[in-house]
Amino acid sequence: MSAIFQNYARYPLTFVKGEGARLTEADGRTFLDFGCGISVVNLGHCHPHVTQAIQKQAETLIHTSNLYHNPIQEQLADRLSRCGFGGDLFFCNSGAEANEAALKIARIYGNKKYEGKRNRVITLQNSFHGRTYMTLSATGQEKVKKGFEPTMDCFVHIKQNDFGEFLSEVKKGDVAAVMLELIQGEGGLELISRDFLVEVSEYCAKYDILLILDEIQTGFGRTGDIFAYKHFGITPDIITMAKGIANGIPMGAVMARREVAEYLSAGTHGSTFGGGYLACAAAMAVLDVMTERGFMQDVREKGDYFIGKLNEIFYQTEVTVHGTALMSGIKVPGKQKEFIEKCMNNNLIVIPAGNDVIRIYPPLTVTYEELDEGLALIKKSAAEMGIGE
Ligand SMILES: *Cc1c(COP(=O)(O)O)cnc(C)c1O
């Protein structure tokens, strides 16, 4: 056994090379990767434009800290701001750090603007927001908190899509923010209802409660837009992002309305590595590709095709199809582990979510031939389990 913590249950696979939608195992087998890490390598492995940007930046400048101006960080902020709702950006290194920062903003906003009277945050049952103390406390899934109690007591987890429960919490008058995932990634591809989101958004705007959207998994193309909130016709106060932002180079970010972001004044928050040159160069290259004309349209079309075919494969079986665009998956009650292992034996990588769901996340750059190949492997794996016979 190596000198590594035993905090991960790893699959018995060791990848040594990646290209596009393909991974090569140490034993020489090639896999079709419909996981992209966990929706991180959304442009496929070693995307040439991103690799080139990383190489070029690595030869020029990698780190100076946030003691000094950083032009590429400023350019990236401007571009992300334009892709979103025109807010200001803070950069860190992971999803948990992005949520941590967003929740600190909510706390200081409630404390300063409402004399300490607003300090609670509403999140959803079954949500996932990260593994730091603040973010595991925000997380609705009990298994993430287990053994780490006492957690922070400023969170309440309401039922998804239950506006009545939302109202009874906010009416207590001490709520600073609500933090939501639009599609629960870790929670098993549960899509939020548009009506609920619109009602919450309108209430928040009216009573100055901050609406924070955790777009760490939904962001960067998986739903067919840079940010998933664009599909819902609402505007949040804060969004958090990470995973796909730099195609595998660690980075997290928070976008907040300027009047909200201003509450994190000089010296109140920071990150040594956050927004460094290398990660920013990678993120700029990701945006170059994702904002190309027609790119997201193509993702939506491929997603529709793929989900349509999944529905055909599993028509009138115990398996149901979930998700949107290329944030897709299937629910296989009681057979999640077995199905994933079957797929792996057939050289296809997919990833678990919740207890019964399998996330199928092809790279956004996947070809129709690769989608068909993956569909054939999914069908084969299902048949080997006696599903769809
Ligand atoms: C992955 C994820 C996080 C945590 O991100 P890390 O980079 O692992 O800290 C938080 N929220 C959501 C929705 C995620 O998918």
Side-chain angles (χ1 to χ4, degrees):
M1 203 163 72
S2 65
I4 288 180
F5 273 28
Q6 294 300 301
N7 61 316
Y8 299 110
R10 297 174 198 262
Y11 292 108
L13 291 171
T14 310
F15 296 113
V16 292
K17 188 173 159 49
E19 189 181 350
R22 309 272 169 190
L23 279 171
T24 307
E25 220 273 347
D27 68 4
R29 278 185 300 164
T30 51
F31 286 70
L32 196 55
D33 182 9
F34 280 10
C36 297
I38 306 173
S39 199
V40 167
V41 194
N42 283 356
L43 294 180
H45 294 283
C46 303
H47 189 285
H49 184 63
V50 181
T51 297
Q52 202 188 31
I54 293 169
Q55 284 172 339
K56 203 166 148 242
Q57 192 59 52
E59 287 165 4
T60 312
L61 185 59
I62 292 179
H63 176 85
T64 60
S65 88
N66 287 302
L67 291 171
Y68 315 102
H69 289 283
N70 175 338
I72 183 166
Q73 188 184 112
E74 288 171 24
Q75 285 162 28
L76 178 62
D78 285 346
R79 276 181 89 175
L80 285 170
S81 184
R82 273 184 270 122
C83 291
F85 53 85
D88 288 350
L89 273 293
F90 166 77
F91 293 100
C92 49
N93 315 285
S94 68
E97 280 177 73
N99 283 340
E100 188 82 19
L103 291 164
K104 280 182 74 175
I105 295 172
R107 187 46 84 67
I108 203 164
Y109 189 80
N111 277 340
K112 282 205 164 157
K113 194 164 176 186
Y114 295 96
E115 286 107 32
K117 289 191 189 71
R118 288 190 180 186
N119 51 42
R120 285 196 316 139
V121 177
I122 297 176
T123 66
L124 297 182
Q125 289 170 14
N126 206 33
S127 57
F128 181 80
H129 297 296
R131 303 273 192 178
T132 64
Y133 253 105
M134 186 77 149
T135 59
L136 79 81
S137 304
T139 291
Q141 297 182 8
E142 282 309 313
K143 66 173 188 222
V144 175
K145 307 171 192 271
K146 202 162 170 250
F148 295 105
E149 302 85 353
T151 57
M152 297 190 65
D153 60 6
C154 55
F155 295 97
V156 55
H157 313 304
I158 66 165
K159 223 169 139 213
Q160 171 154 290
N161 302 334
D162 189 336
F163 189 64
E165 199 180 348
F166 171 83
L167 275 185
S168 66
E169 286 302 330
V170 285
K171 290 219 163 120
K172 293 173 186 165
D174 58 355
V175 171
V178 49
M179 183 153 89
L180 307 170
E181 291 163 275
L182 301 177
I183 302 174
Q184 291 184 341
E186 303 306 308
L189 296 178
E190 288 294 333
L191 177 69
I192 205 163
S193 102
R194 180 184 298 269
D195 289 350
F196 173 72
L197 184 62
V198 169
E199 280 179 311
V200 166
S201 167
E202 284 171 358
Y203 189 95
C204 285
K206 192 165 173 196
Y207 294 101
D208 194 27
I209 292 164
L210 299 176
L211 176 58
I212 306 171
L213 298 181
D214 178 341
E215 290 246 31
I216 290 164
Q217 195 155 152
T218 51
F220 295 92
R222 203 126 298 278
T223 72
D225 210 313
I226 302 269
F227 300 116
Y229 83 85
K230 301 257 173 157
H231 302 294
F232 290 86
I234 56 134
T235 307
D237 299 290
I238 300 176
I239 47 181
T240 58
M241 51 199 111
K243 289 199 164 79
I245 191 172
N247 215 47
I249 300 290
M251 174 176 256
V254 182
M255 185 189 305
R257 261 199 301 126
R258 177 160 293 173
E259 309 84 83
V260 175
E262 275 169 0
Y263 281 79
L264 276 193
S265 54
T268 55
H269 193 57
S271 164
T272 298
F273 292 116
Y277 287 76
L278 193 67
C280 286
M284 289 285 269
V286 165
L287 283 181
D288 287 343
V289 177
M290 289 195 184
T291 58
E292 256 169 46
R293 202 185 181 88
F295 183 88
M296 287 301 170
Q297 177 65 27
D298 186 46
V299 171
R300 290 193 286 270
E301 282 167 15
K302 284 189 284 200
D304 287 348
Y305 172 80
F306 188 63
I307 288 180
K309 290 284 179 189
L310 285 175
N311 273 311
E312 276 176 29
I313 292 174
F314 295 109
Y315 180 64
Q316 287 189 339
T317 67
E318 73 225 62
V319 177
T320 50
V321 178
H322 298 262
T324 176
L326 290 175
M327 190 163 180
S328 51
I330 52 176
K331 190 181 254 178
V332 279
K335 296 180 181 166
Q336 181 200 52
K337 194 162 172 279
E338 196 192 339
F339 203 118
I340 289 173
E341 283 168 9
K342 285 270 187 258
C343 288
M344 278 179 186
N345 284 334
N346 288 320
N347 295 1
L348 174 70
I349 300 297
V350 291
I351 38 179
N355 293 323
D356 298 316
V357 171
I358 296 168
R359 281 172 285 181
I360 312 175
Y361 289 0
L364 310 180
T365 49
V366 71
T367 64
Y368 281 91
E369 290 71 35
E370 286 162 344
L371 285 178
D372 285 341
E373 190 184 331
L375 286 160
L377 295 174
I378 290 164
K379 194 169 174 180
K380 180 166 182 251
S381 306
E384 285 169 5
M385 292 171 64
I387 298 168
E389 296 288 77

